[in-house]
């Protein structure tokens, strides 16, 4: 396992895998600028699909709905999931094993069952289908993603760090805020990112609980694909990709800035 | 430790309301007579009998078979990738993992749709083959196209947990193995693989459960005839409208999955 010797093959493998992962995205981007409606051959550069997209009010509304939903369900889930993970991995109560099963159950259960089950549940509660049911519904898969990430991180941490903080006289809240939370923050962030991605991506659950009037972006896309896709969707995807890259860049910068601060603080201490 | 118990309360309430109660609801549906009002409480085994009578069992078998193949391919292709990534400097690792997750941000429908364009009879691959003077290959609406779609969609769920456990690993253990005279293969099998097993099990669990329950990808890449368990449940709820039979299938699927999950958990515990 000589690192230098195998390096070139490793890089080739890495390259091939990323090529396959990004090929569909490349195709979508390329065809979003295609003049022709058929996504088969590139006939010429054109921005006509972008114009059509922005003129489509229903599509813009769906996009807005999806963004609101993604952010809200992510925030709500980050709170519930992080508290749940800390509670689960730091307590030794009798029903802990059961809770752990339950905590990942939503990921074990097919989305389609979750969607149908939520629909039946909300129907039983007489909740009006719309943004509220979507928000509650999306936490069902957002929370576990965050919880798993945070829990994995907590398990790798030294529990004595928290004990040390308590021994030094920090209250439980302070220990959580100043010791545990900063330590698990990277996991909270990466879990939330994944959860946001899932929320923006979700069709199956949403389609059961969105109600007749409200449409999220994936639902809009799903109905369009079923009735034959217009390249408008490709244009939309390209914009979303650009937004994603920008969001990641912003996130990365944030992390870098706060990371720098932490180091400074350590030096001062 | 008391304060942690308080902390978990919102989570417990959430889990009870959104996971436990709705699941009880499903069981009620599965065991009750037709009709979308569950609370009639007229119990029956009819829904399960219907499942055994027909060819629905084949659908389940096919779903599990596809799930296993997909998971295996994801592990086979994803493990080396995670391993390679974990050997880069930490900053590069973060970037590479970011690159792995970015495709997940693109709507799954769109990625699947893009694959349709690539694989179609007059799609990109066949056009390339045509340019090279080769015969076109039929790839759409086959097991191949479905498996390809599943593997590409769910690969990040295998790579990320494996990478997490590989990057957490103490690198000096590998050096120690070498110093003690282990061959690269021995080092991998006895040290690296062993330490990465929690990640592998996590990945297997995620990919298998996602692929066994999918219904959008087989619908788009496999065509309307392609029946997997997800499609079966969907058709029962949306087109047929038999919520009770749909619930019974769901319940069977859920039980099989729970068994699979506890097996995985046991393996994880054994490793520890």
């Amino acid at each position: 396992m000589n690192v230098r010797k195998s390096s070139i093959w490793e890089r080739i493998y890495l390259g091939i895998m990323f090529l396959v992962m990004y090929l569909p995205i490349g195709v979508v981007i390329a065809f979003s600028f295609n003049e022709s409606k058929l996504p088969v051959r590139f006939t010429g550069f054109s921005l006509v699909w972008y114009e059509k997209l922005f003129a489509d009010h229903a599509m813009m509304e769906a996009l807005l709905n999806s963004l609101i939903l993604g952010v809200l369900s992510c925030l709500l889930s980050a709170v519930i999931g992080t508290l749940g993970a800390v509670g689960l991995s730091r307590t030794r109560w009798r029903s802990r094993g059961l809770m752990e099963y339950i905590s990942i159950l939503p990921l074990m259960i097919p989305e389609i069952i979750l969607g149908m089950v939520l629909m039946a549940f909300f129907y039983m509660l007489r909740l009006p289908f719309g943004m509220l049911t979507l928000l509650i519904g999306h936490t069902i898969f957002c929370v576990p993603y965050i919880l798993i990430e945070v829990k994995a991180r907590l398990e790798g941490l030294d529990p004595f760090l928290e004990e040390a903080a308590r021994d030094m006289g920090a209250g439980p809240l302070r220990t959580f805020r100043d010791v545990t939370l900063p330590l698990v923050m990277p996991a909270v962030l990466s879990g939330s990112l994944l959860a946001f991605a899932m929320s923006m991506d979700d069709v199956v659950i949403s389609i059961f609980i969105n109600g007749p009037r409200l449409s999220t972006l994936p639902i809009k896309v799903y109905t369009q694909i079923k009735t034959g896709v217009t390249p408008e969707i490709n244009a939309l995807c390209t914009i979303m990709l650009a937004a994603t890259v920008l969001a990641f860049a912003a996130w990365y910068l944030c992390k870098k800035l706060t990371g720098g601060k932490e180091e400074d603080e350590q030096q001062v201490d | 430790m008391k304060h942690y118990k308080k902390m978990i309360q919102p989570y417990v309430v959430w889990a009870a309301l959104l996971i436990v109660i709705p699941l009880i609801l499903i069981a009620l549906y599965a065991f009750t007579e037709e009709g979308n009002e569950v609370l009639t409480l007229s119990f029956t085994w009819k829904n399960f009998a219907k499942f055994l009578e027909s060819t629905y069992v084949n659908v389940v078998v096919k779903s599990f078979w596809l799930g296993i193949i997909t998971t295996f391919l994801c592990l086979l292709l994803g493990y080396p990738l995670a391993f390679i990534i974990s050997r880069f400097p930490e900053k590069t690792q973060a970037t590479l993992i970011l690159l792995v997750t970015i495709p997940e941000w693109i709507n799954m429908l769109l990625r699947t749709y893009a694959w349709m364009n690539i694989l179609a009879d007059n799609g990109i691959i066949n056009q390339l083959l045509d340019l090279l003077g080769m015969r076109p290959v039929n790839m759409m609406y086959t097991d191949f196209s479905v498996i390809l779609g599943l593997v590409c969609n769910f690969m990040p769920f295998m790579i990320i947990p494996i990478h997490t456990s590989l990057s957490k690993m103490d690198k000096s253990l590998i050096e120690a193995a070498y110093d003690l005279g282990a061959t690269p293969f021995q080092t991998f099998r006895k040290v690296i693989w062993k330490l990465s097993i929690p990640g592998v099990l996590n990945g297997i669990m995620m990919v298998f459960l996602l692929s066994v329950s999918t219904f959008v990808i087989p619908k788009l890449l496999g065509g309307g005839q392609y029946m997997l368990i997800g499609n079966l449940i969907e058709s029962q709820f949306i087109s047929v409208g038999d919520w009770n039979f749909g619930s019974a299938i769901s319940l069977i699927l859920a039980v099989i999955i729970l068994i699979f999950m506890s097996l995985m958990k046991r393996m994880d515990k054994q490793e520890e």
Side-chain angles (χ1 to χ4, degrees):
Chain A
M1 213 173 283
N2 190 321
V3 176
R4 277 182 202 100
K5 228 180 189 175
S6 54
S7 190
I8 179 86
W9 293 110
E10 287 182 1
R11 271 154 212 265
I12 289 172
Y13 184 75
L14 210 63
I16 292 172
M17 290 296 283
F18 276 115
L19 181 74
V20 174
M21 274 190 238
Y22 280 86
L23 186 66
I25 298 169
V27 169
V28 164
I29 295 175
F31 282 126
S32 77
F33 295 110
N34 194 4
E35 210 180 4
S36 140
K37 193 171 177 169
L38 283 175
V40 173
R41 206 169 283 196
F42 202 82
T43 49
F45 183 85
S46 148
L47 287 174
V48 64
W49 305 115
Y50 287 87
E51 283 165 25
K52 285 210 168 160
L53 177 71
F54 285 113
D56 189 341
H57 287 294
M59 191 66 94
M60 289 294 113
E61 209 187 300
L63 171 65
L64 189 66
N65 285 339
S66 268
L67 284 173
I68 294 171
L69 180 63
V71 170
L72 286 182
S73 57
C74 222
L75 285 175
L76 187 62
S77 306
V79 175
I80 300 173
T82 308
L83 290 179
V86 173
L88 271 180
S89 56
R90 293 289 184 262
T91 44
R92 300 257 171 267
W93 49 337
R94 237 172 297 144
S95 49
R96 190 182 160 207
L98 181 71
M99 276 309 290
E100 275 190 355
Y101 267 113
I102 292 175
S103 72
I104 41 170
L105 217 50
L107 301 181
M108 308 290 128
I109 294 172
E111 271 189 308
I112 186 149
I113 303 182
L114 290 178
M116 157 268 156
V117 128
L118 286 172
M119 179 186 174
F121 184 56
F122 293 144
Y123 176 77
M124 207 178 75
L125 293 179
R126 301 278 183 267
L127 268 180
F129 288 97
M131 192 49 109
L132 182 68
T133 50
L134 278 172
L135 176 60
I136 299 171
H138 277 211
T139 63
I140 205 167
F141 55 85
C142 288
V143 168
Y145 280 118
I146 296 168
L147 186 118
I148 286 176
E149 289 269 323
V150 177
K151 226 173 101 231
R153 172 93 188 171
L154 277 168
E155 269 156 23
L157 284 181
D158 191 346
F160 291 117
L161 283 173
E162 286 161 351
E163 266 173 48
R166 298 302 303 278
D167 289 347
M168 309 275 233
L173 257 177
R174 193 149 174 214
T175 310
F176 178 72
R177 204 193 59 201
D178 289 349
V179 179
T180 321
L181 200 57
L183 285 170
V184 296
M185 215 48 199
V188 176
L189 280 178
S190 62
S192 303
L193 276 179
L194 198 59
F196 183 77
M198 297 319 275
S199 169
M200 289 294 284
D201 209 38
D202 180 73
V203 199
V204 184
I205 292 177
S206 306
I207 220 156
F208 280 97
I209 54 174
N210 70 326
R213 264 160 293 155
L214 196 74
S215 189
T216 65
L217 202 57
I219 292 177
K220 198 91 188 130
V221 173
Y222 182 65
T223 39
Q224 291 233 2
I225 281 189
K226 277 206 300 195
T227 55
V229 172
T230 61
E232 209 183 298
I233 302 278
N234 287 337
L236 174 74
C237 179
T238 308
I239 293 171
M240 278 172 75
L241 180 66
T244 307
V245 172
L246 280 178
F248 264 131
W251 175 72
Y252 186 73
L253 273 177
C254 272
K255 216 172 126 182
K256 242 191 157 174
L257 287 175
T258 52
K261 246 184 210 163
E262 261 165 38
E263 270 161 39
D264 288 349
E265 273 168 19
Q266 270 165 9
Q267 275 169 1
V268 172
D269 285 346
Chain B
M1 289 277 149
K2 222 177 193 168
H3 61 284
Y4 287 122
K5 276 193 182 164
K6 252 186 204 151
M7 229 171 242
I8 203 176
Q9 272 166 7
Y11 177 76
V12 172
V13 172
W14 172 86
L17 267 179
L18 279 174
I19 306 175
V20 180
I21 296 177
L23 281 179
I24 296 170
L25 211 60
I26 260 243
L28 276 177
Y29 266 115
F31 287 106
T32 48
E33 296 269 359
E34 230 170 292
N36 292 349
E37 290 285 348
V38 234
L39 301 172
T40 53
L41 296 179
S42 48
F43 292 101
T44 174
W45 285 100
K46 212 178 65 191
N47 301 314
F48 292 93
K50 190 174 170 186
F51 180 83
L52 289 176
E53 270 169 24
S54 44
T55 49
Y56 296 126
V57 178
N58 290 341
V59 175
V60 177
V61 170
K62 174 144 199 186
S63 297
F64 276 81
W65 180 229
L66 270 184
I68 289 166
I69 293 177
T70 305
T71 311
F72 178 72
L73 285 176
C74 279
L75 181 62
L76 196 71
L77 297 169
Y79 194 99
L81 195 70
F83 182 66
I84 293 168
I85 290 176
S86 76
R87 293 168 85 198
F88 277 95
E90 224 162 90
K91 273 196 178 156
T92 325
Q93 277 188 42
T95 317
L96 288 171
I97 283 297
L98 212 66
L99 283 172
V100 170
T101 39
I102 286 176
E104 274 317 296
W105 281 57
I106 310 296
N107 193 284
M108 181 248 287
L109 289 164
L110 285 165
R111 276 176 287 147
T112 311
Y113 171 65
W115 276 116
M116 288 165 76
N117 291 331
I118 296 168
L119 301 174
D121 284 348
N122 59 353
I124 291 163
I125 290 181
N126 277 326
Q127 299 237 343
L128 279 178
L129 288 178
D130 195 44
L131 280 178
L132 296 169
M134 284 191 273
R135 262 186 301 158
V137 187
N138 174 36
M139 283 169 291
M140 271 306 282
Y141 308 125
T142 59
D143 286 344
F144 170 76
S145 59
V146 175
I147 291 172
L148 181 74
L150 291 174
V151 169
C152 286
N153 263 297
F154 300 139
M155 182 75 87
F157 294 95
M158 184 65 89
I159 296 170
I160 288 168
I162 294 177
H163 173 261
T164 305
S165 57
L166 281 175
S167 64
K168 264 200 309 207
M169 190 168 68
D170 189 351
K171 298 281 185 296
S172 57
L173 287 172
I174 301 169
E175 276 166 42
Y178 280 129
D179 289 348
L180 293 169
T183 62
F185 180 70
Q186 278 176 326
T187 313
F188 177 76
R189 201 171 55 104
K190 297 222 160 137
V191 181
I192 302 171
W193 172 255
K194 275 265 154 85
L195 286 169
S196 65
I197 278 180
V200 170
L201 289 178
N202 252 334
I204 289 178
M205 216 141 66
M206 283 221 190
V207 173
F208 180 74
L209 298 168
L210 282 169
S211 52
V212 90
S213 65
T214 178
F215 85 95
V216 173
I217 296 167
K219 198 164 196 176
L220 294 176
L221 289 173
Q225 307 292 307
Y226 213 89
M227 258 293 178
L228 292 184
I229 203 158
N231 308 75
L232 187 63
I233 296 170
E234 184 227 4
S235 69
Q236 288 304 315
F237 276 100
I238 290 170
S239 22
V240 184
D242 190 347
W243 287 24
N244 304 84
F245 182 51
S247 296
I249 309 168
S250 311
L251 203 65
I252 290 169
L253 180 64
V255 166
I256 298 173
I257 281 170
L258 282 180
I259 294 169
F260 174 78
M261 195 173 113
S262 51
L263 277 178
M264 281 291 171
K265 277 246 166 189
R266 189 163 295 169
M267 273 167 84
D268 200 17
K269 287 232 170 75
Q270 264 171 10
E271 287 306 324
E272 278 166 16

